[in-house]
Amino acid sequence: MEKSTRYGQIQEDLKKKIQQGSYEVGDLLPSENELCAAYHVTRTTARKALQELQNEGYITRQHGKGSIVSERRNTLGLLTVRGFSETVGHEVRNVMISKPSIHDWSRDFSFSPSEKEVVSKCIHFSRLRCVGTTPVMLEESWLAADCVPSFMEQEFVDGSFFKTLSKRYMIEITGSEQEIRAVRADENVGILLHVAAKSPVLYIAVRYTTSLPGYYVYSKLYCNTDKYPIGNVYSSPK
Amino acid sequence: MEKSTRYGQIQEDLKKKIQQGSYEVGDLLPSENELCAAYHVTRTTARKALQELQNEGYITRQHGKGSIVSERRNTLGLLTVRGFSETVGHEVRNVMISKPSIHDWSRDFSFSPSEKEVVSKCIHFSRLRCVGTTPVMLEESWLAADCVPSFMEQEFVDGSFFKTLSKRYMIEITGSEQEIRAVRADENVGILLHVAAKSPVLYIAVRYTTSLPGYYVYSKLYCNTDKYPIGNVYSSPK
DNA sequence: AATCTTTACTTGTACATACAAGTTTCTATG
DNA sequence: CATAGAAACTTGTATGTACAAGTAAAGATT
C-alpha cells in the first residue's frame, strides 16, 4: 500500500485526512510551504502531491489562496481509474456472477484486442456490484491469460481485482479509455440490476491500460443510475 | 488563442501537429531533451507540456521509451472541460433552440446554486449540437447574470459559449463536476434528437467551475449515443 | 548463431532557487 | 472612519542540476 515516492506518501497522507474528516469541505489544506516544512521536501515535491489530489478531484486550487477541499458526492466515480470499492465510500458488496474462466475473445466490442492478445487465451468473469442491498452495476471483464498465471485457481486479494493484479502480478492500472452510451437493458441485465427489461441503463465500455505495454484489461459495465449516478470530476491543472 | 505560458505554446504546437497528422497514431513525439533544444526551455517546462497532452488524452507516456500518440476515436469527448466544438473534430453545427433570456433558477437540479447566485438573475439558453446533419446533443445552460453584462445583446464569439466567456468577460473554465445517468427521452427531447419518445438517452448534469471563485456555469445535456458515444480518456500522471 | 553485457538513449523523481501574480491583512494617510 | 497602499502571505511559471530506472540497440562472449 505504501507508495514508494515522497509525493505519493504525502498524497496518500492528505487523502486519508480528508476522508477521515480532519479537513472538512471548503477547508484549506496546509500551504505548499507548510507541507515542505512538515515533510522535509522541496516545493516541487509538495506541489506534485497536491496536483495529484486535484486530478483525483479531492481538492481545487486557487491562485493566491490555497488548496480547497472539494465536495464529495454520492456518485460512482469510476470515470477515473480508481476501482469501484475505493471510490464508493459506503458498504459495497460484490457478487461474483460467473467465476473467472477461459473464454474466446468476443467479437462485438468497442475496442479491438491487439494482435498479441488474440493469440493468447482469454479470461472472462462478471460481477454484480451492490451498494448496500441495491445492485447498481453489472461488470464483465476480459483479460489475456498469459500474463496472469494461475489467475483462476486463486481468490481475489481483498475481493478487489485491481489489487490482485497489483499484488500478485505487479501489474498496475495506468489509465483508461471509455465509451459511454445509454441503452435498453436486455432481459438478463434487467433481472440482475432489478430494473424492468428495456428500461434505460448506462453502458460503459472500458479499456484499461496497464504498466505492461500492449497489455489491456477490457470491461463492459451496465449501470442502474436511478439512485447512484456516475460521477466525474475534472480540474485542468493549469 | 496564443497561450501566454511557454509550456502552453509547446502544448498547442504539438497538439496542432498531431491533429494535422504530422505525427500518426503510435508515433513517438520528440523526446523531452529534443523539445528542450527546439524550444529553448528546460526539461521541467517541456515535461509540463507533455503532461498536459497526456491529461487531454493525446498521448501516453512510457518510462524509458517516450511519448506515444494515442488513438483518437469517433466520440464526443466532453467529459473533460474542452468545449464541444473543440473536441469533436469534424463538421459541427450548432442550432440555438432558445436564445439567452432572463429566467428563474429552476428547482430540480443535481447541483444547488450557491447563495451568491440565487440573489442574482439567471440567464438561460439551449442549443442543439449536430455532427453533420445528425443531432447528437441537446444542451441547456444556466449562469448568473451579474458577471456577464450585456450577455444577451451580443452574439457568441465564433459561435462558442466558452470562447465568449473567455474573450468578452475574462472568465475561464477551470474544471467540471458531472453526474451521468441513462434516462428515457421525453417528447420534446425525442423530437429534437430524432429518437423515439421513451428511448434511452444519456443525461449529464454538469457544473463547470470558473476562474471566478463561487461563480459556476450549469448545464444539462441530453445525448443520442447511437452513433457518437461519449468518450473519456484518463491517464494517471504517475 | 545465440546469449549476455555494455552503452546510450528515454522518462521519473527530487533537489534548490528565482521571480511573477493573485489574495488577504495590516497600516499609514487622508 | 474610511480608503489607499504596503507587506506578508498564497500559488504559478521557469531555470538548472542530479541521479534513478526503464528501453533498446550495439558489441562482446560463449
Side-chain angles (χ1 to χ4, degrees):
Chain A
M1 195 90 295
E2 274 272 298
K3 291 237 178 164
S4 51
T5 56
R6 310 282 281 114
Y7 78 81
Q9 290 165 9
I10 301 172
Q11 178 191 350
E12 292 304 316
D13 240 46
L14 291 173
K15 193 192 293 186
K16 204 169 286 175
K17 286 182 183 169
I18 292 173
Q19 286 169 336
Q20 290 173 346
S22 305
Y23 299 108
E24 307 228 343
V25 171
D27 282 1
L28 288 173
L29 291 191
S31 74
E32 294 177 357
N33 284 319
E34 286 170 335
L35 288 176
C36 295
Y39 289 93
H40 304 289
V41 293
T42 50
R43 242 188 93 204
T44 320
T45 307
R47 275 183 74 78
K48 177 84 175 166
L50 291 171
Q51 221 146 47
E52 290 292 297
L53 287 175
Q54 184 180 27
N55 283 344
E56 295 181 16
Y58 282 92
I59 60 172
T60 62
R61 316 193 65 202
Q62 194 185 322
H63 190 178
K65 197 168 184 187
S67 305
I68 305 156
V69 176
S70 298
E71 194 178 343
R72 309 293 294 177
R73 36 170 69 75
N74 198 23
T75 57
L76 311 174
L78 77 144
L79 292 174
T80 67
V81 296
R82 310 295 141 190
F84 185 81
S85 350
E86 293 157 58
T87 46
V88 185
H90 350 293
E91 350 88 70
V92 172
R93 247 174 287 179
N94 297 326
V95 183
M96 187 69 80
I97 299 290
S98 70
K99 287 206 168 185
S101 63
I102 293 292
H103 207 268
D104 277 335
W105 290 99
S106 69
R107 296 278 157 245
D108 59 330
F109 216 81
S110 305
F111 306 95
S112 43
S114 63
E115 310 82 47
K116 292 184 203 168
E117 290 175 314
V118 284
V119 301
S120 161
K121 279 292 175 186
C122 166
I123 294 176
H124 168 263
F125 63 92
S126 64
R127 295 185 289 178
L128 186 66
R129 334 295 296 264
C130 306
V131 176
T133 57
T134 52
V136 293
M137 185 192 305
L138 176 64
E139 180 194 60
E140 285 192 274
S141 300
W142 291 264
L143 66 163
D146 53 1
C147 292
V148 286
S150 72
F151 183 84
M152 293 177 295
E153 282 72 39
Q154 291 169 286
E155 292 289 317
F156 284 1
V157 177
D158 294 347
S160 164
F161 171 51
F162 283 3
K163 269 193 193 170
T164 307
L165 285 182
S166 170
K167 299 264 168 176
R168 198 124 72 206
Y169 305 101
M170 307 292 210
I171 298 173
E172 303 294 334
I173 301 293
T174 56
S176 67
E177 301 167 65
Q178 305 169 333
E179 284 188 11
I180 306 171
R181 290 188 148 94
V183 300
R184 288 180 206 275
D186 65 24
E187 210 175 337
N188 184 34
V189 170
I191 292 169
L192 289 167
L193 288 182
H194 290 191
V195 296
K198 296 195 177 175
S199 64
V201 292
L202 205 60
Y203 167 77
I204 309 182
V206 193
R207 184 173 76 164
Y208 292 104
T209 55
T210 69
S211 45
L212 268 59
Y215 190 72
Y216 302 99
V217 174
Y218 302 90
S219 285
K220 281 187 186 180
L221 311 175
Y222 295 91
C223 307
N224 176 358
T225 55
D226 292 344
K227 272 196 193 169
Y228 297 91
I230 302 296
N232 189 39
V233 182
Y234 183 82
S235 306
S236 65
K238 182 195 148 183
Chain B
M1 194 92 293
E2 275 272 299
K3 291 237 180 163
S4 52
T5 57
R6 311 281 281 114
Y7 78 82
Q9 289 165 9
I10 301 172
Q11 177 190 351
E12 293 303 317
D13 241 45
L14 291 173
K15 191 191 295 185
K16 204 169 286 175
K17 286 181 181 168
I18 292 173
Q19 287 169 334
Q20 290 173 347
S22 305
Y23 300 109
E24 305 228 342
V25 171
D27 283 0
L28 288 172
L29 290 191
S31 75
E32 295 177 356
N33 283 320
E34 287 170 334
L35 288 176
C36 295
Y39 289 92
H40 304 289
V41 294
T42 51
R43 243 188 91 204
T44 319
T45 307
R47 275 182 73 78
K48 177 83 175 166
L50 292 170
Q51 221 147 48
E52 291 292 298
L53 287 175
Q54 184 180 30
N55 283 344
E56 295 180 17
Y58 283 92
I59 60 172
T60 61
R61 314 192 66 200
Q62 194 184 324
H63 190 178
K65 196 170 184 186
S67 304
I68 305 156
V69 176
S70 298
E71 196 179 343
R72 306 295 295 177
R73 35 171 69 76
N74 199 22
T75 57
L76 311 174
L78 79 144
L79 290 175
T80 66
V81 296
R82 312 293 141 190
F84 185 81
S85 350
E86 293 158 57
T87 46
V88 185
H90 350 291
E91 351 86 69
V92 173
R93 245 173 289 178
N94 297 327
V95 183
M96 188 68 82
I97 299 292
S98 70
K99 289 206 167 186
S101 63
I102 292 293
H103 207 266
D104 276 337
W105 290 98
S106 70
R107 294 281 156 242
D108 57 331
F109 217 81
S110 305
F111 306 94
S112 42
S114 62
E115 311 81 48
K116 292 183 204 169
E117 290 176 312
V118 285
V119 299
S120 162
K121 280 293 174 187
C122 165
I123 295 177
H124 169 264
F125 63 93
S126 64
R127 295 185 290 175
L128 186 66
R129 333 296 295 265
C130 306
V131 176
T133 56
T134 53
V136 293
M137 186 192 304
L138 176 64
E139 181 193 61
E140 285 192 275
S141 300
W142 292 263
L143 66 163
D146 53 2
C147 293
V148 286
S150 71
F151 183 85
M152 294 177 293
E153 281 73 39
Q154 290 169 287
E155 292 291 315
F156 284 1
V157 177
D158 294 346
S160 165
F161 171 50
F162 283 3
K163 269 193 193 169
T164 307
L165 285 183
S166 170
K167 299 265 167 174
R168 198 125 71 206
Y169 305 103
M170 306 294 211
I171 298 173
E172 303 294 334
I173 301 293
T174 55
S176 67
E177 300 168 65
Q178 305 169 333
E179 285 189 10
I180 306 172
R181 291 188 149 95
V183 301
R184 288 180 207 275
D186 65 26
E187 209 174 338
N188 183 33
V189 171
I191 292 169
L192 289 168
L193 288 182
H194 291 191
V195 296
K198 296 197 178 176
S199 63
V201 292
L202 205 61
Y203 166 77
I204 309 181
V206 193
R207 183 174 77 164
Y208 293 103
T209 54
T210 69
S211 45
L212 268 60
Y215 189 72
Y216 303 99
V217 175
Y218 303 89
S219 285
K220 282 187 186 179
L221 311 175
Y222 295 91
C223 307
N224 176 359
T225 55
D226 293 343
K227 274 196 191 168
Y228 296 91
I230 301 296
N232 189 38
V233 182
Y234 182 82
S235 306
S236 64
K238 180 195 151 184

